[in-house]
Amino acid sequence: MMPRLRLRNMPLRYQLMVLFLLFGIVPSLGLGLLVNWTVERIIERQVENHTMQLIGKVNEALDTKMENLQNMTYLVAFNPDIGEFWKGRTLADGHAGHTSGATPENQGKQAQQPLLNQAPGSKQAVSSVQEQDTLYKMKQFLQGFTTLYPEIAGILIVNEKGDYISNEMYARSTRSLTEEDWYTQAAQHAGIFTVLGQPSHRNVTTHVRYKDSEIVSVVRSVTDPETGHVLGVIMIDLKLRAVSQAARDVTLGKSGYVMVTDAKGRSVYMPDMPLIERIPPQWFGTEDSGMFTREAGGRELLFMFRASEFTGWRTVGVFPARESTLEVRQIQFYVVCFVFIVCLFGLTASLRLSSSIAQPIFRLMSYMRKAETGDLTVRQWSERGDEIGMLGRSFNRMLEQIRRLMLLSELRERQKRDAELRSLQEHIKPHFLYNTLDTIHWMARKNGADDVSDMVGALSRLFRLGLSKGDDFIPLRSEVEHITSYMQIQQTRYRDRLRWELNVPDELKDLFVLKLMLQPVVENAIYHGIKARRGPGTICVEAKAEDGKLLLTVRDDGAGMTAERLCELREWLERPLEAMEGRQKQKGVRTNGRSYGMLNVQARIRLSFGEEYGITLDSKEGTGTRVTITHPLLLDMAQLKKPYDRGEGQDDEIQGNRQRDNGESD
């Protein structure tokens, strides 16, 4: 509050200066922040999209290479000669367990010297020559793949007996290759192409003697199509340069790069000088792609990754987080310069504008101080055409009007006092009417005119209850007494043509209701129902509590109404205020004066309690009409804004008989 109070106490000139500066600086700062935030988001989104596209391209290249290797395994498996090898019917480079009692040493010799100790021209010698030719064809077949795809370091085929065939690879020892982890893993995923990644501690090497870090191995087991039994495994070693070719030429920013890791987080490819040596697998979480920031090596690094659905490898983009904000910093510098220029220009402009506005206002203030002392003389003002000049001329006109209004004010005060006296006199007339009716009532009874006495007494009660001392809500007991007096007067007029019944339980009579609801409805029933029929008619007034609401029903067996008239009245009841206003403007039409009282009741109920309550109308021509008033249950005046919801077993709680409002006259 203190800064605001100080600002209000400042001279207008300084207030205008502050206002102009605020309108100049605050939008500029807001614009700068908005531009900075927007540009930063856009650059981040562009960097992310661009990096993800590059990563996607690397993934596509790696997936293409792996799909080629998978296709090679299919071609190798479908070769007829190799099909004989799966069944153990042909010669192999290395074998185990072909004959009982064979040792690993002599097994290797048997494989390398199949023609020793065999007589020339014998069937065994011919068979051995054929097996050698078959083995040579298979090696030539495998050699064709390595010739066509130089990225392949070697292909190894192992059957379930441990025999193997390869063009470049051989076992380090005589231990069966079926005991190797890669063979077991391939056999567990029968027929599924599996990427193992870089090998380690396996009993297989090549003639070139590639290091484990220089190759990537893939395997696929071959199964019997009829039984699903694993017949053997095909392993292909891919040179790491095939992976590096897809990733090493991709650069992210100035020092960013792309690396490839396997599903367990082990590095498949990494540049020579990486920003981070190893990425913990838990950093990636469970998502297949995403972006995160981590602190590594004393600086903040941004990581973007995407996993391949085919290989399970992750291609990761790594670059310093600050590199993505260089463009943002340049834009921030431009924004700061812009704000500084705006502030400098705004300060100069605010001084000029505040002075041109405040100076004539100060002069107007001096004139107003003189007017406060009672000097209402019109003063000379400048010829300015702006709002301040108009304000000065208006001030002069105001002084003239004040003098005239002071004279009119005295006249209106006298008229107001006269109106109040007349209003007090009007309040005396109802009491005079009550006293006159009481005098007529007792004079008629004194002279033995009991029917006249009853009529006058009913009329007196009707007036007293209708006025109800100005109250809008009265007990149901008073409303019943009011309608009883009204029916007594009407029955005196119509005699035997009108019969009426009243059925209101005593436990409901202490409820409060809106004043004068029943009389307009009963009046409609008499004039438009009973009077329009032939012979006597009956009007029944009932009251009951149902579902937490008070239902007041007025039913007659009169002439009823047509379907068109019923539809028209129902439409009016939905919009009672508009209907009454329209009827007032259309004087002299057929419906003028009809149902006006019922519309008045509907409007008062809707305004008091809402759309849930009001009048519902049912009628049939020649049968009669039924009008139901739905009213909230009100036990006392405090509930006039909240309908009373009375459930089972609460009838005994309606207590407290209220004193009848007899309208005692003066």
Side-chain angles (χ1 to χ4, degrees):
M1 293 295 294
M2 291 303 296
R4 186 171 65 178
L5 291 177
R6 294 194 187 99
L7 181 62
R8 289 180 178 179
N9 292 331
M10 291 172 59
L12 181 61
R13 180 179 180 181
Y14 300 115
Q15 292 187 33
L16 292 174
M17 290 177 60
V18 173
L19 182 64
F20 292 147
L21 290 176
L22 288 177
F23 273 99
I25 296 175
V26 173
S28 300
L29 291 176
L31 179 62
L33 293 175
L34 179 61
V35 170
N36 178 58
W37 182 84
T38 304
V39 170
E40 187 175 356
R41 299 285 85 77
I42 293 175
I43 291 178
E44 288 180 357
R45 193 181 306 113
Q46 290 179 346
V47 170
E48 180 180 355
N49 294 337
H50 178 68
T51 304
M52 284 299 181
Q53 288 178 0
L54 294 177
I55 291 174
K57 295 296 183 181
V58 174
N59 273 345
E60 291 178 3
L62 294 178
D63 289 347
T64 300
K65 293 182 181 297
M66 294 303 166
E67 288 176 359
N68 292 335
L69 296 181
Q70 184 183 32
N71 295 332
M72 289 181 190
T73 61
Y74 291 137
L75 293 175
V76 171
F78 292 151
N79 184 274
D81 294 333
I82 295 177
E84 294 296 324
F85 168 74
W86 296 130
K87 300 175 182 178
R89 298 175 183 175
T90 184
L91 196 63
D93 288 342
H95 60 279
H98 276 258
T99 60
S100 61
T103 62
E105 291 80 7
N106 57 32
Q107 289 171 2
K109 294 177 181 180
Q110 291 173 3
Q112 296 173 5
Q113 300 175 358
L115 299 178
L116 295 179
N117 302 323
Q118 294 180 0
S122 63
K123 294 183 178 180
Q124 292 83 358
V126 174
S127 176
S128 297
V129 171
Q130 293 177 349
E131 290 181 355
Q132 287 287 352
D133 291 340
T134 303
L135 178 61
Y136 178 75
K137 291 180 181 179
M138 288 189 291
K139 287 188 175 184
Q140 287 296 107
F141 176 70
L142 299 179
Q143 186 67 33
F145 288 109
T146 57
T147 303
L148 185 61
Y149 297 99
E151 305 94 12
I152 298 177
I155 303 176
L156 178 67
I157 305 173
V158 183
N159 63 14
E160 60 180 336
K161 296 179 181 180
D163 297 339
Y164 68 87
I165 299 174
S166 178
N167 60 332
E168 295 288 344
M169 306 171 68
Y170 62 91
R172 295 177 184 268
S173 65
T174 58
R175 185 166 58 90
S176 177
L177 296 180
T178 58
E179 300 176 2
E180 293 284 295
D181 291 338
W182 54 268
Y183 186 95
T184 304
Q185 187 173 354
Q188 290 176 351
H189 300 84
I192 299 176
F193 182 80
T194 305
V195 180
L196 299 179
Q198 293 178 338
S200 62
H201 305 95
R202 67 179 183 180
N203 187 26
V204 177
T205 185
T206 63
H207 296 293
V208 182
R209 296 189 180 278
Y210 290 104
K211 297 180 181 179
D212 291 342
S213 60
E214 296 177 344
I215 58 175
V216 176
S217 297
V218 298
V219 294
R220 189 179 75 85
S221 60
V222 180
T223 59
D224 190 336
E226 297 180 357
T227 63
H229 178 68
V230 176
L231 300 177
V233 173
I234 302 173
M235 181 174 67
I236 302 176
D237 282 351
L238 182 68
K239 298 176 183 178
L240 186 61
R241 70 181 185 184
V243 178
S244 62
Q245 284 176 354
R248 67 185 176 186
D249 295 333
V250 177
T251 58
L252 303 177
K254 294 182 178 180
S255 58
Y257 58 86
V258 171
M259 61 181 296
V260 182
T261 64
D262 60 12
K264 297 182 180 179
R266 295 173 299 187
S267 175
V268 177
Y269 165 75
M270 183 179 294
D272 296 334
M273 300 178 62
L275 298 175
I276 182 172
E277 294 292 338
R278 182 178 178 275
I279 303 177
Q282 58 270 21
W283 286 9
F284 297 102
T286 59
E287 301 294 332
D288 292 335
S289 63
M291 178 178 64
F292 59 88
T293 304
R294 292 291 186 275
E295 187 77 19
R299 53 183 171 178
E300 189 177 16
L301 299 179
L302 182 62
F303 298 85
M304 296 183 184
F305 68 94
R306 177 176 292 175
S308 171
E309 297 180 357
F310 186 77
T311 62
W313 290 353
R314 293 189 184 94
T315 304
V316 186
V318 184
F319 54 91
R322 287 190 175 184
E323 289 186 0
S324 63
T325 60
L326 293 177
E327 293 83 356
V328 177
R329 292 179 181 175
Q330 293 179 358
I331 295 176
Q332 289 176 347
F333 173 76
Y334 296 144
V335 170
V336 171
C337 294
F338 169 75
V339 172
F340 176 77
I341 294 173
V342 169
C343 294
L344 184 63
F345 175 77
L347 180 61
T348 305
S350 63
L351 289 172
R352 296 289 302 273
L353 289 175
S354 60
S355 177
S356 63
I357 294 175
Q359 187 174 6
I361 293 179
F362 291 152
R363 185 169 59 174
L364 179 60
M365 288 175 57
S366 64
Y367 292 163
M368 294 181 66
R369 291 193 184 97
K370 293 181 180 180
E372 289 176 356
T373 60
D375 184 3
L376 301 180
T377 305
V378 175
R379 292 170 174 83
Q380 184 66 28
W381 193 253
S382 65
E383 297 299 329
R384 295 180 57 143
D386 57 4
E387 287 78 2
I388 297 179
M390 296 172 60
L391 180 62
R393 290 186 288 273
S394 298
F395 177 72
N396 287 334
R397 289 193 295 269
M398 181 188 68
L399 295 179
E400 296 178 358
Q401 291 289 339
I402 288 175
R403 289 199 299 267
R404 288 195 296 267
L405 290 176
M406 290 176 64
L407 298 176
L408 290 176
S409 178
E410 296 179 0
L411 178 61
R412 289 176 180 176
E413 283 295 329
R414 291 194 298 269
Q415 293 175 347
K416 182 179 179 181
R417 286 194 296 270
D418 294 341
E420 290 176 351
L421 291 175
R422 287 195 300 270
S423 176
L424 292 174
Q425 292 173 358
E426 291 295 330
H427 283 289
I428 300 175
K429 293 180 181 180
H431 300 290
F432 175 74
L433 177 61
Y434 299 155
N435 294 335
T436 302
L437 290 174
D438 285 340
T439 302
I440 297 173
H441 168 70
W442 290 111
M443 289 176 64
R445 177 160 295 187
K446 181 178 179 181
N447 294 326
D450 293 336
D451 54 348
V452 176
S453 176
D454 294 339
M455 176 70 75
V456 173
L459 181 60
S460 178
R461 289 193 300 273
L462 189 69
F463 281 141
R464 287 193 180 99
L465 294 172
L467 294 174
S468 300
K469 298 180 180 179
D471 294 334
D472 291 328
F473 294 89
I474 61 174
L476 181 58
R477 185 186 310 278
S478 299
E479 183 72 8
V480 170
E481 184 177 355
H482 179 268
I483 198 63
T484 301
S485 299
Y486 177 78
M487 291 302 296
Q488 287 178 356
I489 295 173
Q490 294 295 340
Q491 197 167 29
T492 302
R493 177 183 177 185
Y494 291 97
R495 298 189 180 278
D496 295 338
R497 288 195 60 189
L498 176 62
R499 296 189 298 268
W500 66 285
E501 299 175 3
L502 185 64
N503 184 13
V504 179
D506 292 338
E507 63 268 17
L508 300 180
K509 290 184 178 180
D510 289 330
L511 296 175
F512 279 85
V513 296
L514 198 62
K515 181 175 67 176
L516 294 181
M517 289 193 306
L518 293 175
Q519 188 269 334
V521 179
V522 173
E523 182 178 357
N524 279 345
I526 294 174
Y527 287 103
H528 305 299
I530 303 302
K531 187 177 179 181
R533 65 164 286 166
R534 294 182 180 180
T538 303
I539 295 176
C540 181
V541 180
E542 298 177 348
K544 64 178 180 179
E546 183 177 307
D547 296 332
K549 298 177 182 178
L550 176 64
L551 301 181
L552 301 173
T553 305
V554 178
R555 186 176 66 253
D556 67 79
D557 55 358
M561 63 184 73
T562 63
E564 293 78 7
R565 176 59 177 167
L566 178 62
C567 181
E568 182 183 22
L569 284 178
R570 285 176 174 173
E571 291 180 359
W572 288 356
L573 289 174
E574 289 298 322
R575 296 175 282 105
L577 292 175
E578 297 178 9
M580 288 190 295
E581 183 179 356
R583 287 156 59 89
Q584 290 175 356
K585 294 179 180 179
Q586 299 175 1
K587 294 182 180 180
V589 298
R590 178 179 61 85
T591 57
N592 186 36
R594 298 188 61 183
S595 306
Y596 186 85
M598 188 161 57
L599 292 175
N600 182 280
V601 173
Q602 175 79 336
R604 289 192 292 131
I605 293 176
R606 289 284 178 89
L607 292 174
S608 299
F609 306 111
E611 299 293 330
E612 182 181 0
Y613 303 94
I615 295 175
T616 56
L617 184 63
D618 294 302
S619 181
K620 187 175 182 182
E621 189 174 9
T623 302
T625 303
R626 178 189 182 95
V627 179
T628 302
I629 301 175
T630 304
H631 192 282
L633 288 176
L634 302 177
L635 286 176
D636 50 39
M637 298 297 289
Q639 292 181 313
L640 292 180
K641 297 299 183 182
K642 181 179 181 182
Y644 176 72
D645 186 7
R646 180 168 60 90
E648 295 183 1
Q650 291 182 329
D651 290 344
D652 295 337
E653 296 182 6
I654 303 178
Q655 300 174 355
N657 294 329
R658 306 179 185 276
Q659 183 178 1
R660 298 176 60 185
D661 185 7
N662 292 324
E664 297 296 335
S665 60
D666 293 342

